[in-house]
Each structure stands twice: as structure tokens, then as C-alpha cells.
Amino acid sequence: MAKKVVSPFLPLAEKYAKELNASLKDLSVAALYSMFGHVYYIWQSFKPALGFDKALETYGTVWENLAVVSFQGGMQALGLKEVKDLPTFGKIVQHCFTGVPSLYEIKRNDAHEHVGHVLWCANPAYGPSDCRLERNDYYRQEVYLTYTYLRKLVAEAKKVGLKEDIEIEIPTGRCRDGGACACQIILRTPTGDKDKPLPEVKHQFIEEKMGKMEPLMYILKKQKRSLEDQGPGTFLAFFYTDYLAWAGLENACSAKQANDIYQNLWRTFPPMWAEDARLELWAGKPKTAQDMAEIIAYCEHQKYMPYNVTSSNGKVTLTSTLNPYTEVMGIFGFKKGCSYFKAVTKRDKDFITQVLKETKADKKFKATLTKAISEGDKVNQIEITQK
């Protein structure tokens, strides 16, 4: 029996699952919804602020950087030092899509043509539930950006030995084309035969075979992979993607505009989560600082910040020893004082303010982020008092 593959980041994911009172499965599923909701809201924030062309270019850098990381992971997983030909590159592409996760079947993989069918993909399966027309606009860009993603994979392969140019075609995409049974990924060398009939796309919708099984678990079973392999990577990918959104803005516009757009991106969530908190906690308008603290703690939990609530002398304090935004990026060498951590601190302060406003409690309570791990403190601390 083959040895079970486990992500090196499993201990980190398990630590957060424990603090958030979630199983690894629940954390992984939540992270998929977060990841593919976040990229949607990134596009929704970039487009009006930057204009279509600049937004698409800036948003494209998110997927280019994800491609670099995916390529490196594929090279390592397949034990490769170089990429000499298209069949080898095709295997790397399959590995990259598999990690999304998606169900990627290779239908042809010869010296001049690679054809892959993506039967299922976490984006859109775990994507947002929003206005259909807005989602259609977003998915049109996602298929276009798959070209961007693949071109970046080609560029990375050329750095390690691939000599031939690779032409890319995606005639169907499941997120864009509602009736498509598969995304078709076609990669050809210049001498590939474009007139050669493509492999048949089987008429099937994989979702119909899942029944009531959680889609992630069904796909991992099909891939012959474990939750301990996939889950931690999905969890980390959400925080890395948030950083990439900030980095794209930082490179595309002024510091003030970058901060404004990033804060606006995160203002998407307090209206949703504050309402969810009131339903989940059976809370109306908060009457006490303790009530307010519980609502804020719920909303912070949604962004993977586990807070404990204590009270003394009319003041309620929320404390967290964990901040995944700084901890994950710390793996990549980020330290106190970097522009992203500064943006995270501003975001967290604004997030609290927005929750107060959404619960119509901003005139009754004051909530202040008094300590922040992103500023070098050992804990995140929020103090709530009644005005």
C-alpha cells in the first residue's frame, strides 16, 4: 500500500482547527468557500476602483503568483529537476489543477499535443452565491485568466528546460459555459496538428454522481488523495491569496489607493457576518458590552481569528493568541513593519468599526484594537466599553 501523503502544514491547520472548534474537514470546506469567495470579491473590488483593463491586469497577477507556487509544488511532488517536453509539462499541469482541487483527466499527452478535461473544479463549486449576472461577469474573466495561469506555467517550465513554445486553447470552461461537461485544456507545440479531432467530452455532470456526499470528499476519493494532504494547502492558500491581492494593488497604484481598495474589499464581509451572528446567537440589537463582544467574536471567527472573551469592571476584552494572516506570511519571511502587515492592522481596526455600524451599535459602544500581532504584539486584543 502506498504511503499516505500528508501536507507539511498539517500541524498548522490542525492548530487552527482546534482553536476554532472545527474538524479538519470543516476547516478545509470553510477555507474553500473563503478562497473562492475571496477571489470573486477581489475582482468585484478591483473592477470599479481601477477600471476594467487595469483591474484585469492587477487581478491577473494573483493567478500568476499562484501559478508559480503551484509549478514549484508540481516539480517537487513529481520529483522533477527539469521539464524537457510537453508530456512532462502536461503532467505538471495536471498536478497544478489537482491541487485546486479539481478533477483533471488527461485524455491525450503526446510529444505535440496535451488534452486535459477538468470534470469538476472548486471554483465555481465552492464559489460565491451572489447575483447571477455578476457571477457570470466574474467567470468570464476566470476562463480568460486560466490562459494567464497556463502561460505563467509555460514560462516557469522554460526556466527549467522546456524549449518549444506552447500554444493554449480552452474551447470550453465549465464556470463560463453552463452546459459544458468539462473544461478542455489544450496545449500544443507549433508543429501540433490543429486539425486532428479532439478526444470526446463525455456527456456527464459529475455533481450528479456525488449524491449527498461533501464535494471535497468525493473529489479527494476520486483523486486517491487524503484530507490531510489537501486541507492544509487550501487553508494556507486563502491567506496567501489575500496577500497577493494586496501586493497586486501595491504594485498597481498609490499607497493610499491600494489601502482604500483593500479596506473596501474587506468591508464586503461585516454586513454578511454581522447578520449571521445575530441569527446564530439569537441576538437583536446588542444591549451590553458582552453582547457586542460575542457578535464581534463571531465575525472574527469567520475570518479565522479565534478570540476568547473576558469581562471586568464594565470593560469586555477579546483576546487572540493567533493571527493566521501574519503566521502564514511569516512562513514566507514576512516580518513586522512590512506593508502587508500594516495593511492588515488597518483592516482589522476598520473591520471592528464596520461590525459596530452593521449592528447599529456604534453610538452605544466603543471597540478598540489595543494590541495587534501584525504590529509585533504577542496577542490581538479588542477592548469594548459602553459610551
Side-chain angles (χ1 to χ4, degrees), residues 223-271:
Q223 292 177 340
K224 296 182 171 56
R225 296 174 63 229
S226 70
L227 190 63
E228 291 78 8
D229 180 21
Q230 176 67 43
T234 297
F235 182 63
L236 267 68
F238 167 67
F239 305 105
Y240 186 59
T241 301
D242 186 67
Y243 158 71
L244 292 177
W246 162 254
L249 289 169
E250 189 177 36
N251 292 326
C253 47
S254 69
K256 182 183 183 307
Q257 188 181 19
N259 266 296
D260 288 347
I261 297 171
Y262 182 67
Q263 303 307 320
N264 189 56
L265 164 64
W266 275 93
R267 285 184 177 185
T268 303
F269 306 108

Side-chain angles (χ1 to χ4, degrees), residues 16 35 48 54 59 62 72 194 198 212 216 338 348 386:
Y16 276 90
M35 169 73 178
K54 191 171 183 180
Y59 180 52
V62 173
Q72 293 168 349
K194 293 183 180 181
L198 292 171
K212 295 182 180 180
L216 172 62
C338 71
D348 288 347
Q386 194 158 344

Side-chain angles (χ1 to χ4, degrees), residues 21-290:
N21 296 316
S23 65
L24 180 61
K25 175 186 173 183
D26 290 341
L27 182 72
S28 303
V29 170
L32 279 174
Y33 280 115
S34 296
M35 169 73 178
F36 294 109
H38 209 48
V39 289
Y40 168 69
Y41 293 119
I42 289 170
W43 170 248
Q44 289 290 332
S45 300
F46 283 14
K47 183 181 174 184
L50 299 174
F52 182 87
D53 290 339
K54 191 171 183 180
L56 192 61
E57 178 184 356
T58 306
Y59 180 52
T61 64
V62 173
W63 290 103
E64 286 180 331
N65 282 287
L66 289 172
V68 172
V69 174
S70 297
F71 182 85
Q72 293 168 349
M75 291 286 287
Q76 183 177 1
L78 298 173
L80 298 171
K81 299 293 184 184
E82 58 183 352
V83 180
K84 287 187 173 181
D85 52 32
L86 179 56
T88 304
F89 179 65
K91 286 287 188 180
I92 293 174
V93 171
Q94 181 188 40
H95 184 274
C96 292
F97 275 80
T98 295
V100 171
S102 68
L103 194 56
Y104 189 107
E105 294 184 353
I106 293 179
K107 297 299 183 180
R108 181 179 295 157
N109 201 33
D110 60 38
H112 299 290
E113 186 177 64
H114 167 94
V115 180
H117 288 177
V118 183
L119 305 182
W120 181 94
C121 181
N123 187 14
Y126 285 93
S129 55
D130 207 328
C131 172
R132 177 176 173 83
L133 292 178
E134 290 179 353
R135 278 186 285 127
N136 285 349
D137 167 65
Y138 163 66
Y139 290 130
R140 284 195 295 274
Q141 319 322 320
E142 287 304 287
V143 172
Y144 170 78
L145 288 167
T146 303
Y147 283 95
T148 301
Y149 181 86
L150 289 167
R151 289 188 194 108
K152 192 65 175 179
L153 291 181
V154 172
E156 292 300 300
K158 287 201 168 191
K159 293 177 183 178
V160 289
L162 185 64
K163 301 297 184 185
E164 293 187 282
D165 291 331
I166 303 297
E167 299 171 359
I168 303 166
E169 286 185 35
I170 309 174
T172 57
R174 287 207 63 193
C175 56
R176 180 194 62 196
D177 310 319
C181 296
C183 307
Q184 297 179 83
I185 307 296
I186 304 168
L187 309 171
R188 291 193 189 93
T189 65
T191 55
D193 185 358
K194 293 183 180 181
D195 296 324
K196 186 176 181 179
L198 292 171
E200 178 187 6
V201 176
K202 186 177 179 181
H203 184 75
Q204 62 174 340
F205 294 97
I206 202 76
E207 293 83 359
E208 294 177 353
K209 299 182 179 181
M210 293 180 182
K212 295 182 180 180
M213 191 173 184
E214 178 65 47
L216 172 62
M217 304 310 294
Y218 180 91
I219 295 302
L220 289 178
K221 184 177 180 181
K222 283 286 187 181
Q223 292 177 340
K224 296 182 171 56
R225 296 174 63 229
S226 70
L227 190 63
E228 291 78 8
D229 180 21
Q230 176 67 43
T234 297
F235 182 63
L236 267 68
F238 167 67
F239 305 105
Y240 186 59
T241 301
D242 186 67
Y243 158 71
L244 292 177
W246 162 254
L249 289 169
E250 189 177 36
N251 292 326
C253 47
S254 69
K256 182 183 183 307
Q257 188 181 19
N259 266 296
D260 288 347
I261 297 171
Y262 182 67
Q263 303 307 320
N264 189 56
L265 164 64
W266 275 93
R267 285 184 177 185
T268 303
F269 306 108
M272 295 187 249
W273 295 343
E275 183 175 349
D276 289 345
R278 292 167 71 171
L279 292 171
E280 184 74 19
L281 302 171
W282 291 89
K285 190 174 180 179
K287 297 179 181 179
T288 67
Q290 183 73 26

Side-chain angles (χ1 to χ4, degrees), residues 273-275 277-278 281 283-286 289-301 318 351 355-356 359:
W273 295 343
E275 183 175 349
R278 292 167 71 171
L281 302 171
K285 190 174 180 179
Q290 183 73 26
D291 293 340
M292 192 69 248
E294 290 177 1
I295 291 174
I296 290 176
Y298 178 94
C299 295
E300 292 286 350
H301 185 282
L318 295 87
F351 183 85
V355 173
L356 285 173
T359 53

Side-chain angles (χ1 to χ4, degrees), residues 239 242-244 246-247 250 255 259 262-263 323 325-347 373-376:
F239 305 105
D242 186 67
Y243 158 71
L244 292 177
W246 162 254
E250 189 177 36
N259 266 296
Y262 182 67
Q263 303 307 320
N323 184 331
Y325 300 87
T326 57
E327 187 167 0
V328 169
M329 294 316 299
I331 295 170
F332 295 89
F334 286 62
K335 299 183 186 307
K336 171 190 170 183
C338 71
S339 63
Y340 176 62
F341 285 6
K342 289 179 180 179
V344 166
T345 302
K346 289 181 181 179
R347 177 204 73 188
I373 295 172
S374 52
E375 289 189 331

